[in-house]
Amino acid sequence: MHHRLPPLTPIRVGIALLSLSISAALQAQTAPAPTASDWGGIGLLQTPTARMADEGEIAFTASHTSPYSRYNVVMQPLPWFEGAFRYVSVANRRYGPEWLSGNQNYKDKSIDVKLRLWQESRWIPEVSAGFRDLGGTGLFSSEYLVASKRFGALDASLGLATGYIGNRGDFRNPLASLDDRFKVRPRAQGTGNLNSDGMFRGPVGVFGGVSYQTPWEPLQLKLEYDGNDYKREPQNNNQRQRTPFNFGASYALNSNVQFHAAWERGDALMLAITLRGNIAQASATPKLLDPAPAPTLRESQGTKQNTSLDAVDWPTLAAELEDNAGLRVSRITQRGQEVIVTGEQRRFFYPAQGLGRSGRLLDATLPDDITWFTVQNTRLGAPIVETSLERKAFADYADHRIELSQLAGHIEMATPAQQRRTTLYDAPIKRFDGGFNIGYQQSVGGPDGFILFQVAGTYSGNLHFTRNTWLTGTLSYNAYNNYDRFRYDAPSRLPRVRTNIRRYLTTEDLTLPNLQFTTVHQLGNDLYGSAYAGLFESMYGGLGGELLYRPLNERWAIGAELNWVKQRDFDQRFSFRDYSVATGHASLYYQWGTERKIVSVVSAGRYLAKDWGATLSVSRAFNNGASIGAYATKTDVSSADFGEGSFDKGIFVSIPFDFMLPRSTRARANFAWTPLYRDGGARLSRSYGLYQMTSERDPDFFYRNLDRVTD
């Protein structure tokens, strides 16, 4: 029997073609890119996934789901490590009494950590473990294990959690079979501890969901099963949940901006925005205001003007080196067929760039019998490192005759040596330099106001007596601040070494934050020392000294500093208060890794409040000079005496201004977040540190950016 096929109408043909095109599009789609959750970290909506952002990414996400507004900063210093800090504003709770906080909403601070345990393979999902609200008040604390697996355009996740993320408590905690304490999770006390007492305790909740990459590339859809039932919210702020399923979407306006929207708990709208950037992949903007690199002799196709060193106009060459290569010359010497230029690099952030520009000028100026150029870099008058460049190899590379790897074999870095050299030129000392700037400081998250800040106009100047001995000072005028709202002097059982900050910022508009005499010397091939006296910072003045032993091309260095300081009066002039202290630390610096550099610093000693302890600082240093880090200090001060927060801790980011400005600069933008201002674990702030001063003793940074030698 034969069946007649229905006629192909235009509508049926259209439906068939549409189905085929959708099917083909689904097959061709890539997996969803990792996006931020409501809590800032990579995830779905309320829950995390096992995914990570690209290494070096920093993202800010602001989200609102009544009654919570979350302001999250998330950093990805390593491919397998995600760190976040946030403030949660609770709309239906007040921060404090009306006389102090007015109608300001309650603010909760927290820190998150997520670790990737292993990466996804063909059959095995990606798996990560994490801690939410690890180092904050613990009101939203949670621990979780989550797995994620991609299936074409879908990315599915499934996880287990104790604490806030798993508050539904789908089954009994298996750890309770080992100890009855794991049956019940204690209520968070909100003290800022590490929340270790409640970790992994309480029932276990299941969470998960899927994200779907639509055929339209900017749009991603999300479906989530929430592990929290909102019946045990902090501060008894329980919320109604009509359904545990949340639905949402993320839209990428571009690579730096994403918008998010969702319907959560069955009756709550969530809106969010994410601003993101990657400091590891950042590169310098075009330097429109920089002079062009000087041509080598071959590039200029000129004839040699100077057939002997006696014919060289050394003052003119020194001026050109400062103007074009950023090198403020102090001396030029000769040793055989080598010319050594001693000076301080004041403009170019990448040492190879400064060396290359210097090499071009020297090649075009010096007679042919000079075969090596050496730049002895100094910092604050002390010699740091000598970098020698073979003239012919540099000219060949600039002329594209050899590869960069071949040029590297004709570059030598050495400790500045005390050798007999013939002086060709001694530059006069520039006695004074200075300039105006804008100063800014802020306090975030206090009960007086969420953001308290000061904008000041400053003038800083340096008066040099010798190349390595000088007087520096800063005059500051308060242009605007809102610290008149700062009424909360936190209770302290310690000497008030930092918590009087309000009075320092509001007593006088015209202040002298710094007036310091400093001298720095190279005491041996690898040993540096400094001595200083005066007004070190807004709160302290006195005298002190520092020693640093830093061998060239080594991963480690050791240092020590000792200071006697007295507390300054609140007007920041020349008078002092009664409090004084001897404070100082011994420090071990170590750089870990080859492909990825981790810089750790352990400092042990006495702090400003006369407490004894240690500070651990760990930062990820990227090849381009940017870094992300965190620190924590623990002293013999008890948590009760320290106050809220229990111990000092913070997060910092350092980004070269060279990324952002149209003119080369060595300056940096430094951002730091300290959740609380307390007296325990407080250290003296000093203008000049020997480890930072000797940073060019790290050849790794030079060679990783050697391609800039012709910029």
Coordinates of all heavy atoms in Angstrom, one line a residue, residues 5 44 47 77 103 115 132 157 160 163 179 185 194 227 250 262 318 320 330 399 452 470 525 561 585 603 627 704 706:
L5 N 2.2 11.4 0.3 CA 2.8 12.4 1.2 C 2.0 13.7 1.1 O 1.5 14.1 0.0 CB 4.2 12.7 0.9 CG 5.2 11.5 1.1 CD1 6.6 11.9 0.5 CD2 5.2 11.1 2.5
L44 N 26.1 30.6 39.0 CA 24.8 30.7 38.4 C 24.1 32.0 38.9 O 24.4 33.1 38.5 CB 23.9 29.5 38.6 CG 24.4 28.2 37.9 CD1 23.7 26.9 38.5 CD2 24.2 28.3 36.4
T47 N 24.0 30.5 43.6 CA 25.0 29.4 43.9 C 26.2 29.5 43.0 O 26.2 30.0 41.9 CB 24.3 28.0 43.7 OG1 23.9 27.9 42.3 CG2 23.0 27.9 44.6
P77 N 43.8 35.6 40.9 CA 45.3 35.7 40.8 C 46.0 34.5 40.2 O 47.0 34.6 39.6 CB 45.7 35.9 42.3 CG 44.7 35.3 43.1 CD 43.4 35.6 42.3
N103 N 19.8 56.8 59.0 CA 19.0 55.7 58.4 C 19.8 54.8 57.5 O 19.3 54.2 56.6 CB 17.8 56.3 57.5 CG 18.3 57.2 56.4 OD1 19.5 57.4 56.3 ND2 17.4 57.7 55.6
L115 N 38.6 27.2 45.4 CA 39.8 26.5 44.9 C 39.4 25.4 44.0 O 38.5 24.6 44.2 CB 40.6 25.8 46.1 CG 41.0 26.7 47.2 CD1 41.5 25.9 48.4 CD2 42.0 27.7 46.8
R132 N 32.4 30.5 51.6 CA 31.7 31.9 51.5 C 31.7 32.5 52.9 O 31.5 31.8 53.9 CB 30.3 31.8 51.0 CG 29.6 33.1 50.9 CD 28.2 32.9 50.3 NE 28.3 32.6 48.8 CZ 27.2 32.3 48.1 NH1 26.0 32.3 48.6 NH2 27.4 32.0 46.8
S157 N 25.9 22.1 36.6 CA 26.6 22.0 37.9 C 25.7 21.4 38.9 O 24.5 21.5 38.9 CB 26.9 23.5 38.3 OG 27.8 24.1 37.5
L160 N 27.1 20.3 46.8 CA 26.6 20.0 48.2 C 27.2 21.1 49.1 O 28.4 21.6 48.9 CB 27.1 18.7 48.7 CG 26.7 17.5 47.9 CD1 27.4 16.2 48.4 CD2 25.2 17.3 47.9
G163 N 25.9 25.2 55.7 CA 25.8 26.6 56.0 C 24.8 27.3 55.1 O 23.8 26.7 54.6
D179 N 31.3 12.7 64.9 CA 31.2 13.6 66.0 C 29.9 14.3 66.0 O 29.4 14.9 65.0 CB 32.3 14.7 66.0 CG 32.5 15.4 67.3 OD1 31.4 15.8 67.9 OD2 33.6 15.7 67.7
R185 N 24.7 23.4 63.3 CA 25.6 24.5 63.0 C 25.3 25.7 63.9 O 24.2 26.2 64.0 CB 25.4 25.0 61.5 CG 26.5 26.0 61.0 CD 26.2 26.4 59.6 NE 27.3 27.3 59.1 CZ 28.3 26.8 58.4 NH1 28.4 25.5 58.2 NH2 29.2 27.6 57.9
L194 N 37.6 33.7 61.7 CA 37.6 32.9 60.5 C 36.5 31.9 60.4 O 36.4 31.1 59.5 CB 39.0 32.1 60.5 CG 40.2 32.8 60.0 CD1 41.4 32.0 60.0 CD2 40.0 33.3 58.5
G227 N 19.9 25.9 47.0 CA 20.0 25.0 48.2 C 19.6 25.7 49.5 O 19.6 25.1 50.6
S250 N 22.1 36.5 31.5 CA 23.2 37.4 31.5 C 23.4 37.9 30.1 O 23.5 37.1 29.2 CB 24.5 36.7 32.0 OG 24.4 36.3 33.4
A262 N 17.1 38.2 36.9 CA 16.6 36.9 37.3 C 15.3 37.1 38.1 O 15.0 38.2 38.7 CB 17.6 36.1 38.1
A318 N 74.3 63.5 28.0 CA 73.6 63.2 29.2 C 72.2 63.8 29.2 O 71.2 63.2 29.6 CB 74.4 63.8 30.4
E320 N 70.4 64.3 26.5 CA 69.6 63.4 25.5 C 69.2 62.1 26.2 O 68.1 61.6 26.0 CB 70.4 63.2 24.3 CG 70.6 64.4 23.4 CD 71.5 64.1 22.2 OE1 72.2 63.1 22.3 OE2 71.5 64.9 21.3
S330 N 74.3 60.5 36.4 CA 75.1 61.1 37.4 C 76.6 61.0 37.0 O 77.4 61.8 37.4 CB 74.9 60.3 38.7 OG 75.1 58.9 38.6
D399 N 68.2 46.0 13.6 CA 68.2 46.0 12.1 C 67.5 44.7 11.6 O 67.6 44.3 10.4 CB 69.6 46.0 11.6 CG 69.7 46.6 10.1 OD1 68.7 47.3 9.7 OD2 70.6 46.2 9.4
L452 N 33.4 57.3 53.6 CA 33.9 58.5 54.1 C 35.2 58.8 53.3 O 36.1 57.9 53.2 CB 34.1 58.5 55.6 CG 32.9 58.1 56.4 CD1 33.3 58.0 57.9 CD2 31.8 59.2 56.2
W470 N 69.0 63.2 51.4 CA 68.1 64.3 51.0 C 67.0 64.5 52.1 O 66.8 63.7 53.0 CB 67.4 63.9 49.7 CG 66.4 62.8 49.8 CD1 65.1 62.8 49.9 CD2 66.7 61.4 49.8 NE1 64.5 61.6 50.0 CE2 65.5 60.7 49.9 CE3 67.9 60.7 49.7 CZ2 65.5 59.3 49.9 CZ3 67.9 59.3 49.7 CH2 66.7 58.6 49.8
N525 N 78.4 44.4 48.2 CA 77.9 44.1 46.9 C 76.4 43.8 46.9 O 75.7 44.2 46.0 CB 78.7 42.8 46.4 CG 80.0 43.2 45.9 OD1 80.4 44.4 45.7 ND2 80.9 42.2 45.7
E561 N 64.3 46.3 60.1 CA 64.2 47.7 60.3 C 63.8 47.9 61.8 O 63.1 47.1 62.4 CB 63.1 48.4 59.4 CG 61.9 47.6 59.2 CD 60.7 48.2 59.9 OE1 60.8 49.2 60.6 OE2 59.6 47.6 59.8
H585 N 60.8 45.2 62.7 CA 60.6 43.9 62.2 C 61.7 43.3 61.4 O 62.5 44.0 60.8 CB 59.3 43.9 61.2 CG 58.1 44.2 61.9 ND1 57.7 45.5 62.2 CD2 57.0 43.4 62.4 CE1 56.5 45.5 62.9 NE2 56.1 44.3 62.9
S603 N 57.1 39.0 58.0 CA 57.7 39.9 58.9 C 57.3 39.7 60.3 O 56.1 39.6 60.6 CB 57.3 41.4 58.5 OG 57.7 41.6 57.2
S627 N 50.1 43.4 40.1 CA 50.1 42.4 41.1 C 48.8 42.5 41.9 O 48.1 43.5 42.0 CB 51.3 42.6 42.0 OG 51.3 43.8 42.7
R704 N 61.6 38.9 31.0 CA 60.2 38.6 30.5 C 59.7 39.7 29.6 O 58.7 39.5 28.9 CB 59.3 38.4 31.7 CG 59.5 37.1 32.4 CD 58.6 37.0 33.7 NE 58.9 35.7 34.4 CZ 58.1 34.7 34.4 NH1 57.0 34.7 33.6 NH2 58.4 33.6 35.1
L706 N 61.8 41.7 27.6 CA 62.9 42.1 26.8 C 62.5 42.6 25.4 O 63.2 43.3 24.8 CB 63.9 40.9 26.7 CG 65.2 41.1 25.9 CD1 66.0 42.3 26.6 CD2 66.1 39.9 25.8

